[in-house]
Amino acid sequence: MKVGIDFGTTHTVAAVVDRGNYPVVSFDGLDTWPSIIAANEAGELRFGLDAAAVRHDPGWCALRSFKRLLNDAGPRSTVELAGRSYRLAELFAGFLAQLKSDLQHRSNIELPAGEPVEAAISVPANASSAQRFMTLDAFTQAGFEVAALLNEPSAAGFEYAHRYRSTITAKREYVLIYDLGGGTFDASLLKMTGRLNEVVFSEGIQRLGGDDFDEAILKLVRNGTGLRKLPAGTRDLLLEECAVRKEAVGPNTRRFLVDLAAVGKEPFSCPIDDVYAACVPLVDKTINALSGVLHGDVDWSDIAGIYVVGGAGSFPLVARTLRTTFDEKRVKRSLHPFAATAIGLAVFLDREAGFVLSERLSRHFGVFREACAGEDVCFDPIVPKGSALPTAGQPPFVVTRTYRAAHNIGHFRFVECSRLRDGHPDGDVTPYEPVFFAFDPDLSDDQDLPRRAVRRRDDGPDVEERYVITSGGAVEVTLTTRPDRLSRTFRLERHDLASA
Ligand SMILES: Nc1ncnc2c1ncn2[C@@H]1O[C@H](COP(=O)(O)OP(=O)(O)OP(=O)(O)O)[C@@H](O)[C@H]1O
Ligand SMILES: [Mg+2]
């Protein structure tokens, strides 16, 4: 069984490969599986459909949008739920194990017990290397055989290519993907030639999605009704009510109504334009990011279309703003806003379809190092943003550097960042857990390198740094000294804020 799985902030969606078709899997009759975890004080956990079923029950506590936590997480990050502390990585793996079990027992597909499930999975274009690793790990632990990890907008691009190939002409062979989901916004410029989809440039906003529209609307309601302090449970109920009402807004809606029975008040009502005004700043951010993706030699006349995917792209203000900012005829909304990414992942997995992806790194990757005998710090970019990554099945992208060690211990502080300014990391910077490596052979068995004093030495060995970047954009570094050939490989993981 081959399946594309889009783990989303709000929904998780699966689509299977079935003889040239890519049907979306339905669970108990629904095309989406809720991205919710619930726990009670006894320490019982529920995931997905089961979690949604108990989310309002007394004694149960629901964790929504936990994909957002992965932005700032490391492998040891924990989260509090119903008075207990859980490892996020374990909750995530448990969630996916339940998804796998529901694929088998509660879905409309035939999946015999024991049949391997080959999965293509995805992360936001702007996800850090650590989020990629955590996602890969969780899927593997849950028993999936992960065949590929793609960026979400790249996957949506395959759905576009599969369905709308005919819109691509020799003159207009670029497509802009606009993906506004529950938690993240991604914009990607793809070049489509034959069966090759090449990602030219990606830009993302890690914390911008439908959840933020719900918050903006709740704020409007609270300001309009003088609702100040709210207990957490009541706030969640109102937020859910705002989301439901927001999803019901259509192009002809004139007034917006929110039921306030949960707080014993009369319903809130306002002109729809007030709701749009509250959401304009959010939509404007996405338009700016989208415009930023058009660069280099590519301009508007080369674009076959803007492809709008993701549930929050259905908000009428989004379509209206896109149409007034860009050429109306070239804005195309996906027929499957929730499922475009999962379908695209399935298309990619289908070798018969023959599509190939050439992906680019969406963030700069580099290392800080001491300079001027420890007086100063410089930044060495190792792999620049926009570097082409290997296609799946090809050998990984490798960068090596060699130099003479100037210290007894190497202390590497790796970071990823969305921009460089004057050669220094800028914008959205993600630090990694520091890596310590003994250049001095006498320290090679030392388990406590971080506590040893770093000393300069003039007779240091030669050091080779070998970076391996996979098609999914994750990075491993192997450090080797010569002539002793002491060597170690480190999987780079995000600096863990929770355990710091
Ligand atoms: N008709 C609609 N109008 C406005 N917003 C909508 C509509 N339908 C769904 N949404 C919003 O879309 C969001 C969910 O979209 P989607 O399922 O694409 O996100 P996701 O894939 O779970 O999240 P992400 O891709 O950000 O991780 C929710 O915030 C939901 O409220
Ligand atoms: Mg999504």
Side-chain angles (χ1 to χ4, degrees), residues 6-13 32 35 67 124 152 179-185 208-211 214 243-244 246-249 309-316 337-339:
D6 172 25
F7 162 60
T9 307
T10 318
H11 305 114
T12 295
V13 180
T32 57
S35 298
K67 180 175 168 184
E152 288 164 13
D179 180 1
L180 186 58
T184 45
F185 173 70
L208 180 68
D211 284 2
D214 302 343
V244 169
K246 169 198 74 176
E247 289 167 20
V249 172
V309 301
S314 306
F315 196 49
F338 297 104

XYZ file of all heavy atoms in Angstrom, residues 6-13 32 35 67 124 152 179-185 208-211 214 243-244 246-249 309-316 337-339, ligand 1:
321
model
N -0.604 13.890 4.746
C -0.338 15.289 5.057
C -0.739 15.508 6.509
O -1.931 15.615 6.818
C -1.155 16.177 4.106
C -1.089 17.650 4.487
O -0.105 18.055 5.135
O -2.023 18.392 4.127
N 0.259 15.558 7.388
C -0.015 15.839 8.801
C -0.168 17.355 8.926
O 0.797 18.100 8.797
C 1.138 15.307 9.671
C 1.166 15.899 11.053
C 0.085 15.750 11.911
C 2.265 16.619 11.488
C 0.095 16.322 13.178
C 2.292 17.194 12.754
C 1.205 17.046 13.595
N -1.394 17.811 9.145
C -1.662 19.251 9.202
C -1.920 19.722 10.617
O -2.100 18.923 11.537
N -1.936 21.044 10.780
C -2.178 21.646 12.090
C -3.590 21.316 12.577
O -3.809 21.049 13.752
C -2.009 23.175 11.978
O -0.746 23.432 11.385
C -2.074 23.844 13.324
N -4.544 21.340 11.659
C -5.944 21.107 12.021
C -6.386 19.693 11.647
O -7.051 19.015 12.407
C -6.864 22.100 11.270
O -6.262 23.382 11.274
C -8.231 22.155 11.902
N -6.019 19.289 10.410
C -6.454 17.999 9.891
C -5.265 17.201 9.396
O -4.311 17.764 8.868
C -7.345 18.188 8.655
C -8.520 19.065 8.871
N -8.668 20.283 8.247
C -9.624 18.887 9.622
C -9.805 20.822 8.607
N -10.410 20.005 9.445
N -5.396 15.881 9.483
C -4.443 15.013 8.816
C -5.217 14.309 7.706
O -6.349 13.871 7.921
C -3.831 14.032 9.833
O -3.072 14.826 10.758
C -2.906 13.026 9.170
N -4.616 14.289 6.503
C -5.328 13.753 5.348
C -4.445 12.708 4.677
O -3.232 12.888 4.557
C -5.662 14.890 4.342
C -6.394 14.348 3.128
C -6.507 15.966 5.015
N -11.193 13.875 6.439
C -10.046 14.368 7.215
C -10.045 13.667 8.572
O -11.087 13.228 9.059
C -10.135 15.893 7.456
O -11.366 16.173 8.107
C -10.051 16.670 6.163
N -6.416 16.503 13.831
C -5.081 16.549 14.463
C -5.245 16.980 15.922
O -4.869 18.099 16.292
C -4.165 17.509 13.705
O -3.974 17.071 12.388
N 1.019 20.573 15.921
C 2.078 20.727 14.914
C 2.824 22.045 15.117
O 4.019 22.148 14.855
C 1.445 20.685 13.522
C 2.427 20.833 12.373
C 1.703 20.646 11.055
C 2.517 21.042 9.860
N 1.731 20.935 8.618
N 5.994 21.863 6.401
C 5.948 23.191 5.794
C 7.291 23.515 5.122
O 8.343 23.052 5.584
C 5.709 24.121 6.982
C 5.077 23.256 8.022
C 5.665 21.895 7.830
N 5.390 20.850 1.810
C 3.955 20.819 1.492
C 3.610 21.489 0.160
O 2.884 20.897 -0.650
C 3.152 21.421 2.655
C 3.149 20.478 3.857
C 2.719 21.118 5.164
O 2.180 22.240 5.148
O 2.920 20.485 6.212
N -0.424 28.328 -0.118
C -0.978 27.311 0.786
C -1.215 27.918 2.160
O -0.275 28.146 2.922
C 0.008 26.125 0.878
C -0.484 25.015 1.811
O -1.588 25.148 2.375
O 0.231 24.019 1.970
N -2.489 28.203 2.455
C -2.838 28.774 3.758
C -3.648 27.737 4.530
O -4.810 27.484 4.227
C -3.631 30.079 3.564
C -3.946 30.880 4.821
C -2.693 31.277 5.587
C -4.745 32.135 4.477
N -2.987 27.101 5.495
C -3.633 26.034 6.269
C -4.104 26.540 7.619
O -4.406 27.727 7.789
N -4.153 25.636 8.596
C -4.609 26.012 9.923
C -3.510 26.723 10.709
O -3.785 27.586 11.535
N -2.259 26.359 10.446
C -1.174 26.891 11.265
C -0.052 27.564 10.509
O 0.687 28.365 11.079
N 0.110 27.239 9.231
C 1.256 27.790 8.511
C 0.843 28.317 7.145
O -0.136 27.866 6.558
C 2.340 26.722 8.248
O 1.720 25.531 7.781
C 3.151 26.430 9.474
N 1.638 29.268 6.663
C 1.470 29.753 5.297
C 2.747 29.430 4.524
O 3.846 29.660 5.014
C 1.231 31.266 5.265
C 1.222 31.791 3.863
C 0.178 31.472 3.008
C 2.277 32.550 3.375
C 0.177 31.902 1.683
C 2.284 32.990 2.059
C 1.227 32.663 1.217
N 1.373 31.430 10.765
C 0.257 32.184 10.183
C -0.674 31.210 9.491
O -0.312 30.560 8.520
C 0.763 33.230 9.180
C -0.366 34.042 8.548
C -1.031 34.935 9.571
C 0.128 34.887 7.410
N -1.895 31.116 10.040
C -2.868 30.209 9.436
C -4.252 30.499 9.976
O -4.470 31.506 10.673
N -5.187 29.613 9.674
C -6.571 29.775 10.101
C -6.699 29.989 11.615
O -7.582 30.732 12.064
N -5.819 29.379 12.404
C -5.855 29.571 13.865
C -5.750 31.056 14.211
O -6.373 31.524 15.167
C -4.653 28.865 14.533
C -4.827 27.353 14.613
O -5.858 26.850 14.121
O -3.927 26.681 15.168
N -8.981 32.830 13.647
C -9.908 32.557 14.755
C -9.599 33.472 15.940
O -10.507 34.021 16.564
C -9.793 31.086 15.210
C -10.061 30.113 14.078
O -10.631 30.543 13.054
O -9.692 28.932 14.211
N -14.369 29.701 14.863
C -13.848 28.971 13.700
C -15.000 28.437 12.850
O -14.996 28.563 11.618
C -12.941 27.834 14.159
N -16.021 27.870 13.520
C -17.159 27.300 12.786
C -17.875 28.405 12.003
O -18.212 28.247 10.823
C -18.133 26.596 13.778
C -19.431 26.227 13.095
C -17.461 25.363 14.366
N -16.623 31.296 11.049
C -15.711 31.779 10.001
C -15.789 30.870 8.775
O -15.837 31.337 7.639
C -14.281 31.799 10.555
C -13.203 32.034 9.522
C -11.820 31.615 10.034
C -11.654 30.110 10.081
N -10.308 29.670 10.484
N -15.821 29.557 9.022
C -15.847 28.607 7.906
C -17.158 28.693 7.119
O -17.221 28.290 5.961
C -15.625 27.169 8.425
C -14.196 26.963 8.889
C -14.000 25.679 9.699
O -14.840 24.777 9.604
O -12.991 25.616 10.434
N -18.208 29.240 7.778
C -19.512 29.336 7.100
C -19.633 30.630 6.279
O -20.621 30.819 5.567
C -20.634 29.260 8.126
N -18.646 31.525 6.381
C -18.734 32.794 5.643
C -18.568 32.519 4.143
O -17.659 31.797 3.733
C -17.630 33.781 6.115
C -17.596 35.032 5.225
C -17.843 34.164 7.566
N -4.374 26.571 -2.184
C -4.711 25.338 -1.458
C -4.733 25.644 0.045
O -4.326 26.723 0.469
C -3.720 24.184 -1.760
C -3.691 23.853 -3.227
C -2.317 24.498 -1.267
N -5.218 24.666 0.836
C -5.309 24.865 2.287
C -6.688 25.401 2.628
O -7.254 26.222 1.904
N -7.238 24.916 3.747
C -8.610 25.266 4.123
C -8.823 26.760 4.294
O -9.854 27.306 3.883
N -7.832 27.466 4.890
C -8.038 28.883 5.189
C -8.045 29.727 3.911
O -8.500 30.872 3.924
C -6.980 29.377 6.173
N -7.566 29.149 2.810
C -7.639 29.837 1.517
C -9.078 29.974 1.026
O -9.352 30.705 0.079
N -10.010 29.265 1.689
C -11.421 29.364 1.306
C -12.091 30.616 1.869
O -13.230 30.921 1.510
C -12.220 28.165 1.841
O -11.618 26.973 1.440
N -11.425 31.299 2.772
C -12.019 32.513 3.353
C -12.174 33.536 2.231
O -11.200 33.858 1.532
C -11.068 33.025 4.449
C -11.679 34.005 5.393
C -12.909 33.740 5.997
C -11.026 35.185 5.700
C -13.468 34.639 6.878
C -11.581 36.090 6.592
C -12.805 35.823 7.186
N -13.402 34.074 2.015
C -13.632 34.924 0.846
C -12.674 36.117 0.737
O -12.318 36.524 -0.363
C -15.076 35.400 1.027
C -15.720 34.336 1.861
C -14.645 33.815 2.768
N -9.203 21.759 -1.438
C -8.279 22.598 -0.663
C -7.639 21.856 0.512
O -6.494 22.108 0.848
C -9.155 23.760 -0.190
C -10.557 23.386 -0.478
C -10.559 22.339 -1.533
N -8.374 20.923 1.135
C -7.806 20.222 2.297
C -6.883 19.088 1.878
O -6.016 18.678 2.621
C -8.915 19.593 3.157
C -9.833 20.602 3.747
C -11.091 20.795 3.220
C -9.418 21.374 4.816
C -11.939 21.749 3.770
C -10.254 22.325 5.370
C -11.519 22.510 4.837
N -7.128 18.550 0.689
C -6.469 17.287 0.344
C -5.399 17.433 -0.736
O -4.727 16.457 -1.054
C -7.526 16.272 -0.100
N -14.601 27.791 4.330
C -13.584 28.198 5.106
N -13.332 29.515 5.288
C -12.319 29.924 6.056
N -11.467 29.110 6.702
C -11.665 27.788 6.567
C -12.721 27.261 5.765
N -12.666 25.920 5.825
C -11.635 25.620 6.642
N -11.033 26.732 7.084
C -9.872 26.834 7.986
O -8.803 26.129 7.384
C -7.915 25.662 8.400
C -7.588 24.211 8.147
O -7.060 24.084 6.864
P -6.149 22.843 6.444
O -6.837 21.579 6.771
O -5.718 23.089 5.058
O -4.951 23.074 7.446
P -3.853 22.032 7.929
O -3.331 21.304 6.748
O -4.406 21.235 9.032
O -2.766 23.029 8.527
P -1.242 23.354 8.076
O -1.101 23.029 6.641
O -1.120 24.822 8.367
O -0.426 22.541 8.991
C -8.637 25.868 9.718
O -8.091 27.006 10.359
C -10.079 26.123 9.301
O -10.765 26.947 10.227
